Amino acid sequence: MRAVIQRVSRARVTINGQVKSAIGQGFLILLGVCEEDTPVDVEWLVKKISMLRVFDDENGVMNCDIHSINGEALVVSQFTLFASYKKGNRPSWFRAARHEISVPLYEEFCTCLSEALGKPVGTGEFGAEMKVELINDGPVTICMDTKNKE
């Protein structure tokens, strides 16, 4: 499982001109699922993200987690995080999980993150053509991969 976590002032997902989800301060998370991912990957990633200390404390030091600032989260499925670009210039997606694997794990991730934060998590729509807008705060962008936990 791969995630790109962006600290945002605000973010939203629009589908067919309609806002699907919008958040204020918090995280926009682009989430990619590969064939080998399991619920263990979901658990590890939710724990890491929910405890990630990248928000400023009263001294302007990145020392607070999303709970400390009462932040929100928006999770958007992103199979392109598993692009293979080694041959030629057109990426292939052979490592991205099929729908029967990726949809349940995406939904489990969103549910678990919502439980960890104690509030609903905004989502995109799996497989839809989405427009994602954000104000990256900092900018702060962190990439995580559950296959690279060390």
Side-chain angles (χ1 to χ4, degrees):
M1 211 168 248
R2 287 185 180 159
V4 175
I5 303 109
Q6 297 176 87
R7 185 179 80 176
V8 298
S9 299
R10 66 179 182 268
R12 71 180 184 171
V13 174
T14 305
I15 302 170
N16 296 323
Q18 301 294 316
V19 175
K20 166 79 166 84
S21 296
I23 64 165
Q25 184 180 26
F27 288 140
L28 169 65
I29 302 165
L30 305 176
L31 183 70
V33 179
C34 77
E35 290 287 324
E36 298 84 30
D37 289 331
T38 70
V40 172
D41 295 292
V42 170
E43 182 181 330
W44 182 87
L45 195 55
V46 165
K47 184 176 180 182
K48 289 301 271 187
I49 291 172
S50 66
M51 297 175 69
L52 189 61
R53 294 177 12 189
V54 295
F55 295 95
D56 293 347
D57 64 14
E58 63 278 352
N59 298 313
V61 176
M62 284 196 286
N63 199 31
C64 295
D65 61 24
I66 194 168
H67 303 280
S68 303
I69 60 137
N70 197 28
E72 300 176 278
L74 173 57
V75 183
V76 177
S77 62
Q78 189 80 41
F79 77 92
T80 60
L81 292 177
F82 281 99
S84 176
Y85 46 83
K86 293 188 183 203
K87 289 171 122 182
N89 294 315
R90 182 174 180 223
S92 67
W93 320 111
F94 70 92
R95 291 206 50 227
R98 299 176 318 270
H99 280 151
E100 58 268 19
I101 293 171
S102 57
V103 173
L105 287 175
Y106 169 79
E107 290 172 351
E108 182 177 350
F109 177 86
C110 293
T111 298
C112 291
L113 185 60
S114 178
E115 290 170 0
L117 298 180
K119 62 177 67 175
V121 168
T123 62
E125 184 176 310
F126 203 92
E129 180 73 26
M130 297 176 275
K131 305 296 182 202
V132 180
E133 298 174 70
L134 70 138
I135 304 295
N136 193 322
D137 182 18
V140 174
T141 302
I142 309 287
C143 298
M144 291 186 185
D145 190 320
T146 61
K147 304 304 184 257
N148 188 17
K149 295 176 185 170
E150 308 294 309

